[in-house]
Amino acid sequence: MASTATPSTLTLSSLLSQELNPNSLLFKPKPLLFTPHKSFSLHPLILHYKERKSNGPIVVAAAMAAEAEVDEAVGEEGGEAAVAVAIPTSKPKKGKAALPLKRDRTRSKRFLEIQKLREIKKEYDLKTAIELLKTTASTKFTETAEAHFRLNIDPKYNDQQLRATVNLPKGTGQTVKVAVLTQGEKFDEAKNAGADLVGGEDLIEQIKGGFMDFDKLIATPDMMPKVASLGRILGPRGLMPNPKAGTVTTNIPQAIEEFKKGKVEYRADKTGIVHLPFGKANFSEEDLIINFIAAVKSIEANKPSGAKGVYWKSAHVCSSMGPSIRLNVREMLEYKLPNA
């Protein structure tokens, strides 16, 4: 039978029956008492002083017991008890917060080898950076050439948001599947222009059911009230039709042709960084440079009105599975194409 230690208590009646001197009254702090069965208790004493006119000050000590007890588990055969300590559970992390820290990530042997090909803090000129990008693209599949620009903007303000499109002269190197939401005579017009999927309310219902077999979704203005119900589905995937992205238009054939040839939509994320694919690693160096300069000029031309100070903070290029290569921003902005 488990027994618990009962600590002595100080009653108020014993204190009120006699005059006590506060200076002579000493309370020693009671330590944590562990019983043979691993339970403990703590009794803090809180002193209150009360002044009486006739007999001077007396001390009224009120024992405020705050007791924390640990559940004990005693073995059936009289074994030693174990202490059960309640550990607060933390909520599971989601999204980017669930990723391991940079210092805890492990890199593949291939990545560690190709990482030695470039100096981490060195700023490269554009031509040398593109050469390194092609060299580091050493996987079995054809990697995408990516550009990442850190801009001096804060997208939480309306006048510092950036969202636009750019026509890459040499294309993206991938097949783009275009779906069109329209009705009436525009239906046949979209089919003849080369759209992969054309529909109206029927296609909207398919998308609500989980159908997402397309890369771009174009809609005519008269379909937008019905497309609004797809915001929660298409928005997070970046597929929601938008006039700024050129995906809400009355000129369906032109929009289809541009996206098929290499029109790319880009936007600044919440940290002010633009992530933009500008070709494939198997493109020639000249084609990659042409596409890259077209992207830089587009971002410069669409500079938000609220952007202050130095607009370009940093620029990097990389293959989809390779290390980033830092660019010299001034040289990048002043670069001129040989045939220009």
Side-chain angles (χ1 to χ4, degrees), residues 34-302:
F34 287 87
T35 67
H37 299 292
K38 304 295 184 179
S39 66
F40 64 89
S41 61
L42 177 64
H43 292 266
L45 293 178
I46 300 177
L47 298 181
H48 298 276
Y49 294 92
K50 182 178 180 182
E51 185 175 351
R52 194 167 59 184
K53 294 182 180 179
S54 59
N55 299 328
I58 66 169
V59 178
V60 179
M64 306 291 293
E67 187 170 341
E69 295 185 354
V70 178
D71 295 335
E72 54 184 342
V74 181
E76 294 181 357
E77 297 181 358
E80 185 176 354
V83 179
V85 180
I87 301 175
T89 57
S90 58
K91 294 182 179 180
K93 296 180 179 180
K94 297 180 180 180
K96 291 184 178 180
L99 297 175
L101 297 176
K102 190 174 182 179
R103 64 175 180 269
D104 299 331
R105 298 175 190 170
T106 56
R107 298 290 190 178
S108 65
K109 292 182 180 179
R110 182 198 68 84
F111 187 90
L112 294 175
E113 287 298 324
I114 62 176
Q115 190 172 234
K116 299 176 183 177
L117 299 175
R118 62 96 167 99
E119 297 180 29
I120 297 178
K121 295 184 179 180
K122 182 178 178 180
E123 294 184 348
Y124 291 88
D125 62 89
L126 181 58
K127 191 174 187 305
T128 305
I130 295 299
E131 292 175 356
L132 282 173
L133 184 151
K134 290 177 65 64
T135 304
T136 56
S138 57
T139 55
K140 295 181 180 179
F141 63 92
T142 304
E143 298 182 40
T144 300
E146 301 175 359
H148 306 275
F149 306 104
R150 182 182 292 276
L151 307 176
N152 188 23
I153 57 176
D154 189 352
K156 71 180 181 181
Y157 299 106
N158 292 332
D159 61 349
Q160 296 189 40
Q161 294 178 357
L162 175 62
R163 182 176 184 178
T165 58
V166 56
N167 291 314
L168 299 178
K170 300 301 180 179
T172 60
Q174 59 186 9
T175 303
V176 180
K177 197 169 186 179
V178 179
V180 178
L181 284 170
T182 187
Q183 58 187 355
E185 59 184 19
K186 294 285 185 181
F187 198 92
D188 293 332
E189 186 179 350
K191 279 188 173 181
N192 297 331
D196 299 283
L197 293 169
V198 183
E201 295 183 5
D202 56 337
L203 182 55
I204 292 176
E205 292 301 322
Q206 290 181 31
I207 294 173
K208 287 181 179 180
F211 179 78
M212 300 296 293
D213 190 18
F214 51 86
D215 302 308
K216 287 292 177 183
L217 181 63
I218 301 173
T220 51
D222 58 338
M223 291 294 295
M224 288 307 295
K226 299 176 182 178
V227 178
S229 61
L230 301 175
R232 292 185 178 181
I233 302 174
L234 299 176
R237 295 173 172 83
L239 294 173
M240 187 68 179
N242 188 289
K244 292 183 179 180
T247 48
V248 178
T249 178
T250 55
N251 194 343
I252 297 295
Q254 181 182 353
I256 295 173
E257 182 182 4
E258 289 177 347
F259 282 110
K260 289 281 189 180
K261 285 186 175 180
K263 188 175 184 178
V264 176
E265 179 188 357
Y266 63 87
R267 67 170 68 186
D269 63 15
K270 63 181 180 179
T271 61
I273 301 177
V274 174
H275 309 278
L276 181 67
F278 63 100
K280 293 289 185 179
N282 59 358
F283 282 20
S284 65
E285 293 178 11
E286 293 76 11
D287 290 349
L288 286 175
I289 291 176
I290 290 172
N291 280 352
F292 182 85
I293 293 300
V296 170
K297 289 182 177 180
S298 176
I299 295 174
E300 183 69 29
N302 291 281

